[in-house]
Amino acid sequence: MNSNQKKLKQMIRDQELAISDKELFTSSAYQKYLTSMAKAATSRYRQGLQTLMEWNARADAGIAHTDNYKIHINAANEITQSFPSRYLRSESLVGFNGHETAHLLFSDFTALGLYLGNIEKGAFYPSNPSFTEFSYQTNCEEILEAMDSKDKATCLTLASCASHINNILEDIYIEARICTSHPGTFRRGIELNNLRMCEQMPSIQSQIEKKYSDFAIMANLLLQYCRAGTINNLSGYKGPYLDYLEDCMPYVDVAIYSDETKDRFHASNHIVAILWEYIKPLIEETKERMEQHSASDASQMLEELLGNQIHGATPLPSGKGGTMPKQAEEGKKEQKANPLPCTPPAMRQERTQAAQDVVAEEGNRIALAKTNTILDENNPGITYNHQYLGTGYEKSANDLFRILNGIATEKAETQYQQEMTEELQKAANDIHYGNAHTGVHVTINRMAYVPDSLKQSYQAVAPMLIRASKRLQKSIAPLLKEEVV
């Protein structure tokens, strides 16, 4: 290997160490990597589906959303950035990509629009909730009476609360669906994100001290139970929240693994009725805001309140112009062909533990691209085992390493070309051209980066020019030999 090749390889290794998360995860190569996953899962190769990476480190920045044509992911989100290694951070982003892809595959947006539209107009869809327990029967009567009166504040608040509950159930369903159909590509990232979301969820006592609304506390408990099969109750809280959660569990367990969208609507209706005592204070706040502002302002303020207090829920996709997107045909086929198996709480707890083991294992190892195999004779280095089989992610580790290496190679080649240009310019400046050329300045022009368009142009004319060059070399070679003699 000549010295120039050695120098370039060393520069590539140096660039790998220097590349930041922002450079890596917002690169075109990484975006293409995630886009290829989304297209492969949805079979939307020709419909413009694309994953776009962003970097927004603000505390109030979102995580991920989609408008049915583009999936937007914020690589700087606190869930992703909380993981101890670059590999796990990449897996987290793959998980969010999988979540949004799953919505496009398995969410029935037409039915969802019908469900929420009916509640806003004062009617439950597909049917009214009903209970055998007297207290919940009373709740149903109060709710139906308020809805029959078409009270605007009541209908807006109920629609908002029902939307949040249904969104929780839908999130868990579509994740279970895509984890079943894509157990390697998306499942690891989704389970890692669910683990971290549960870990970062404030305890019940903490939420009480921060004056969260009662409804938001219950929504957070439902989220934890759905994701992990358990809840964060390190403070040892004992009170009505846990009683209400227990009453909600039977509806949750049926809804989150049902391929029938209406089952989640039924469950949401019943959970809203169970939590009616916690929804009524929100209705009063909405009424007060409507008196001071418009109905749309009051609705927006309610959404902001619940959005800030309910942790870990992601917004449902929206189509262009705010319309409901269309469910992908590939998802409908999958739902019909392969009914989703139920995952009991105990199994969800096992998966959470497995994700904890991955994080613990990865956290004890140095982050990807911060270690190297032997670089040269003078640096023994540290060997990073990219083929580690214990956590089953060797293929995606190789994918990430390939992307990282590609970005580093491109940066190193640009740097190398710039340095080569500087060396040639220095050499040109040192050449003595004779008296006839005194005062002539020689400038070396070399492109550090050659775009694909110029490469294609070169390939089109190169064969003809190379043949002409060889003919000229043959004709001039004898003349040069005579000059030497």
Side-chain angles (χ1 to χ4, degrees), residues 89-115:
R89 293 193 288 275
S90 176
E91 286 293 271
S92 170
L93 296 175
V94 170
F96 288 124
N97 191 41
H99 178 95
E100 299 303 324
T101 300
H103 269 307
L104 299 178
L105 278 169
F106 303 118
S107 289
D108 187 339
F109 302 108
T110 303
L112 176 63
L114 184 62
Y115 172 68

Side-chain angles (χ1 to χ4, degrees), residues 311-327:
H311 298 270
T314 56
L316 284 168
S318 60
K320 287 186 176 179
T323 60
M324 285 288 181
K326 185 179 180 181
Q327 182 185 0

Side-chain angles (χ1 to χ4, degrees), residues 251-281:
Y251 301 101
V252 169
D253 290 338
V254 170
I256 58 178
Y257 297 111
S258 174
D259 289 313
E260 290 293 331
T261 304
K262 288 183 180 179
D263 286 342
R264 280 181 287 288
F265 298 155
H266 278 296
S268 299
N269 292 342
H270 283 81
I271 292 172
V272 163
I274 291 172
L275 303 181
W276 174 239
E277 292 301 317
Y278 292 158
I279 295 175
K280 285 194 285 186

Side-chain angles (χ1 to χ4, degrees), residues 115-407:
Y115 172 68
L116 296 178
N118 271 273
I119 295 181
E120 288 179 2
K121 294 175 182 177
F124 280 113
Y125 174 83
S127 61
N128 295 335
S130 60
F131 297 89
T132 56
E133 298 92 336
F134 176 75
S135 60
Y136 294 148
Q137 283 181 352
T138 303
N139 286 357
C140 286
E141 291 170 4
E142 287 185 20
I143 294 172
L144 293 173
E145 184 178 347
M147 294 176 81
D148 287 341
S149 69
K150 307 299 180 184
D151 179 74
K152 189 68 174 178
T154 298
C155 293
L156 279 177
T157 307
L158 278 172
S160 178
C161 292
S163 176
H164 279 282
I165 296 299
N166 186 75
N167 194 15
I168 290 170
L169 302 179
E170 188 71 13
D171 276 355
I172 305 307
Y173 165 72
I174 56 102
E175 286 185 352
R177 254 293 170 197
I178 204 156
C179 285
T180 299
S181 60
H182 296 76
T185 310
F186 293 129
R187 177 173 168 176
R188 291 182 299 270
I190 287 173
E191 290 182 349
L192 286 169
N193 289 334
N194 284 342
L195 165 68
R196 190 60 94 225
M197 287 177 184
C198 289
E199 289 177 342
Q200 293 186 353
M201 183 74 72
S203 67
I204 301 174
Q205 191 59 43
S206 174
Q207 293 180 62
I208 295 171
E209 292 170 358
K210 292 178 180 177
K211 301 188 182 304
Y212 280 28
S213 70
D214 292 322
F215 177 80
I217 294 175
M218 284 305 308
N220 287 329
L221 290 176
L222 287 167
L223 259 172
Q224 289 181 81
Y225 173 72
C226 288
R227 285 199 169 110
T230 186
I231 61 169
N232 176 4
N233 191 20
L234 298 177
S235 58
Y237 168 86
K238 295 180 180 179
Y241 295 134
L242 299 182
D243 296 331
Y244 281 124
L245 177 63
E246 187 174 354
D247 289 343
C248 292
M249 284 179 182
Y251 301 101
V252 169
D253 290 338
V254 170
I256 58 178
Y257 297 111
S258 174
D259 289 313
E260 290 293 331
T261 304
K262 288 183 180 179
D263 286 342
R264 280 181 287 288
F265 298 155
H266 278 296
S268 299
N269 292 342
H270 283 81
I271 292 172
V272 163
I274 291 172
L275 303 181
W276 174 239
E277 292 301 317
Y278 292 158
I279 295 175
K280 285 194 285 186
L282 295 176
I283 294 174
E284 294 304 315
E285 290 182 26
T286 303
K287 284 182 179 178
E288 292 178 9
R289 289 169 181 152
M290 287 179 66
E291 292 173 359
Q292 299 171 0
H293 307 277
S294 66
S296 60
D297 288 338
S299 178
Q300 183 178 349
M301 284 186 277
L302 176 61
E303 284 302 313
E304 288 176 356
L305 171 70
L306 296 180
N308 290 332
Q309 294 184 355
I310 298 175
H311 298 270
T314 56
L316 284 168
S318 60
K320 287 186 176 179
T323 60
M324 285 288 181
K326 185 179 180 181
Q327 182 185 0
E329 291 299 323
E330 195 71 16
K332 293 179 182 179
K333 294 176 185 176
E334 177 68 21
Q335 287 168 320
K336 290 180 180 179
N338 301 302
L340 182 64
C342 179
T343 304
M347 189 175 294
R348 298 203 293 275
Q349 292 176 32
E350 289 178 7
R351 290 181 177 177
T352 300
Q353 183 59 53
Q356 288 174 332
D357 293 342
V358 171
V359 174
E361 173 66 32
E362 189 71 14
N364 290 329
R365 296 152 67 194
I366 301 177
L368 182 66
K370 295 300 180 185
T371 57
N372 300 280
T373 53
I374 295 175
L375 299 180
D376 53 45
E377 295 81 1
N378 299 320
N379 186 351
I382 302 170
T383 300
Y384 187 101
N385 184 5
H386 293 286
Q387 301 299 326
Y388 174 72
L389 298 176
T391 45
Y393 48 66
E394 65 280 358
K395 183 180 183 296
S396 49
N398 284 337
D399 288 341
L400 181 60
F401 186 79
R402 173 179 49 79
I403 294 169
L404 181 64
N405 183 259
I407 298 170

Side-chain angles (χ1 to χ4, degrees), residues 412-423:
E413 287 177 345
T414 301
Q415 180 186 347
Y416 180 78
Q417 293 297 336
Q418 289 172 344
E419 291 182 4
M420 182 66 72
T421 300
E422 292 172 3
E423 290 179 10

